[in-house]
Amino acid sequence: MPDVLPDALPVAARVVSGIQPTGNLHLGNYLGAIRNWVAMQNSLGPDGTCLFFLADLHALSMPLDPARLRRETVEMAATLLACGIDPTRSVLFNQGQVPQHAELQWLLNGTARMGWLNRMTQWKDKAGKNREGASVALFTYPVLQAADVLLYQATHVPVGEDQKQHLELARDIAQKFNNDFAEPQLGRPLFTLPEPIIPPSAARIMSLRDGSAKMSKSDPSDMSRINLTDGADAIVQKIRKARTDPEPLPSEAEGLDGRAEAANLVTIYASLAGTHVAAVLADHGGSGFGAFKNALADLLVATLEPISTRLRDLLADPRHVEQMLVDGAVRARALAQPTLDAAYKAAGILRPGSL
Ligand code: TYM
């Protein structure tokens, strides 16, 4: 599959990634990130570790409905399990059960610069013109994200394109903390610089209604996205109504230039079929969108139906899913503690037992 990276992971790879547990998992999350999580989990060497988490602390950055967050955290965990995350091979947990994330974020708040955070496009997009009314958590969000990966010495972070800037910031924070504190105090760098792993073609799956906006949970129109919980009828309906243009499909990739909606549907098809855009166009070039949309809807249903069946089974017993999160958090806390201890030590902060 050209979209699933990398072919070979180093034996001791430490793979870490997260997802916000608000709303449904959609096709953009799946093709941009989660499919890579599963592939990396399944190709990991014996000394490697994968950690995947629900970023519930990040949800505080936007208006919050606590009862809903609690429910959606368990539902999102079940969805990840349904997609193929295996809790015997990966550590699956929610941030809130691992207080080390919030503690390390505070230490890194001393290292991150206002100017760096001010440049983050997600901050600019989400705060919009109302910066004064945005939460402090929305502004410092990328520092928590840096803590999420640095805490575990992540080597590889599978994400979609939209998270690349946050990962670059995490590297800058790691580098500065290493220079300012770790090397002078511990005599060695503390944090590993994480490498983002971004699928080359499904890096950015776009809205079905607007080829210039990414597919997103926060889009008010449910017709803009395919949710992993959508049944066959909803999928067919959404693809049939997806915005396109009047031209038939081109036979070569250059013919998609300036045709964002058409390019998005072909990208989704290629990504699901595990092939390249050029190969899809070689087969479908010249056809109208009616026929192509039918083929795409069939492929989507075939891919997503087994996932939604597994999800229904898992949600029949939410206690079981909650217990998996409790077990995952025990493992995550143990992996996090040595790095957190070293970060406190490097910063010269006395803690229980350090005197
Ligand atoms: P989130 O919850 O918005 O999305 C989860 C993952 O899905 C990817 N993604 C997409 N990929 C392609 N096309 C799209 N339309 C699309 N929409 C979303 C995202 O890039 C992401 O990989 N800040 C993160 C969560 C997070 C995190 C972390 C990620 C918190 N801490 C540490 C990695 C490492 C977020 O809000 O992702």
Side-chain angles (χ1 to χ4, degrees):
M1 282 203 192
D3 262 345
V4 175
L5 285 177
D7 289 337
L9 285 168
V11 181
R14 190 51 85 80
V15 178
V16 180
S17 199
I19 182 165
Q20 291 202 60
T22 38
N24 281 317
L25 194 75
H26 58 70
L27 191 65
N29 301 133
Y30 180 67
L31 296 178
I34 312 304
R35 208 169 52 155
N36 252 347
W37 295 12
V38 176
M40 292 172 90
Q41 163 195 272
N42 294 344
S43 61
L44 204 65
D47 296 326
T49 313
C50 282
L51 295 109
F52 300 118
F53 61 88
L54 294 318
D56 48 6
L57 295 180
H58 277 98
L60 287 164
S61 59
M62 296 301 277
L64 186 70
D65 173 344
R68 186 165 164 197
L69 177 61
R70 199 198 145 105
R71 189 183 68 244
E72 290 186 337
T73 300
V74 177
E75 285 173 7
M76 184 64 84
T79 312
L80 296 179
L81 295 167
C83 287
I85 297 299
D86 173 353
T88 66
R89 302 175 81 172
S90 294
V91 183
L92 178 66
F93 62 99
N94 64 299
Q95 263 173 339
Q97 293 197 68
V98 185
Q100 288 87 344
H101 288 245
E103 283 188 68
L104 184 61
Q105 181 196 12
W106 184 253
L107 296 184
L108 299 181
N109 274 340
T111 297
R113 306 286 95 184
M114 295 286 284
W116 298 356
L117 296 179
N118 258 324
R119 280 196 288 279
M120 294 294 112
T121 51
Q122 179 178 293
W123 156 247
K124 291 192 243 178
D125 289 350
K126 289 204 172 170
K129 292 201 170 60
N130 183 22
R131 288 195 178 191
E132 295 295 310
S135 69
V136 174
L138 186 64
F139 187 66
T140 59
Y141 179 115
V143 187
L144 179 57
Q145 183 158 348
D148 294 339
V149 294
L150 301 181
L151 191 55
Y152 300 104
Q153 306 289 351
T155 55
H156 298 77
V157 183
V159 283
E161 176 76 31
D162 61 333
Q163 297 302 317
K164 189 171 173 208
Q165 195 187 32
H166 287 165
L167 265 296
E168 282 162 1
L169 180 90
R171 291 171 65 95
D172 290 343
I173 293 175
Q175 190 93 61
K176 185 166 165 54
F177 191 97
N178 282 345
N179 290 342
D180 291 355
F181 300 118
E183 282 173 21
Q185 300 303 321
L186 309 176
R188 61 177 173 90
L190 171 57
F191 296 123
T192 306
L193 302 192
E195 204 59 65
I197 303 294
I198 299 174
S201 65
R204 206 172 163 79
I205 300 294
M206 309 311 279
S207 156
L208 298 177
R209 310 298 295 168
D210 172 2
S212 67
K214 71 170 181 178
M215 186 177 284
S216 156
K217 295 170 207 182
S218 51
D219 191 316
S221 166
D222 196 55
M223 294 301 281
S224 70
R225 63 185 159 261
I226 303 284
N227 302 307
L228 263 63
T229 46
D230 285 343
D233 290 350
I235 292 173
V236 169
Q237 187 75 354
K238 286 178 178 182
I239 294 299
R240 202 168 281 160
K241 293 238 164 105
R243 198 162 141 194
T244 45
D245 56 45
E247 302 297 318
L249 280 171
S251 327
E252 287 175 12
E254 296 73 56
L256 291 171
D257 290 349
R259 299 176 66 187
E261 284 85 9
N264 188 38
L265 295 187
V266 175
T267 300
I268 293 174
Y269 189 104
S271 182
L272 288 167
T275 184
H276 296 281
V277 164
V280 177
L281 294 177
D283 284 350
H284 294 270
S287 4
F289 277 101
F292 182 68
K293 281 179 166 182
N294 287 341
L296 176 58
D298 286 349
L299 193 52
L300 273 165
V301 171
T303 309
L304 300 188
E305 216 156 40
I307 296 178
S308 51
T309 306
R310 280 197 295 276
L311 179 60
R312 261 194 306 278
D313 291 348
L314 284 157
L315 287 178
D317 186 4
R319 280 285 149 87
H320 182 62
V321 178
E322 284 167 8
Q323 188 56 47
M324 282 184 192
L325 291 178
V326 169
D327 296 344
V330 171
R331 294 166 68 199
R333 288 197 294 269
L335 289 166
Q337 197 59 47
T339 297
L340 182 65
D341 288 343
Y344 273 116
K345 186 170 175 195
I349 293 176
L350 301 178
R351 307 179 63 225
S354 61
L355 281 181

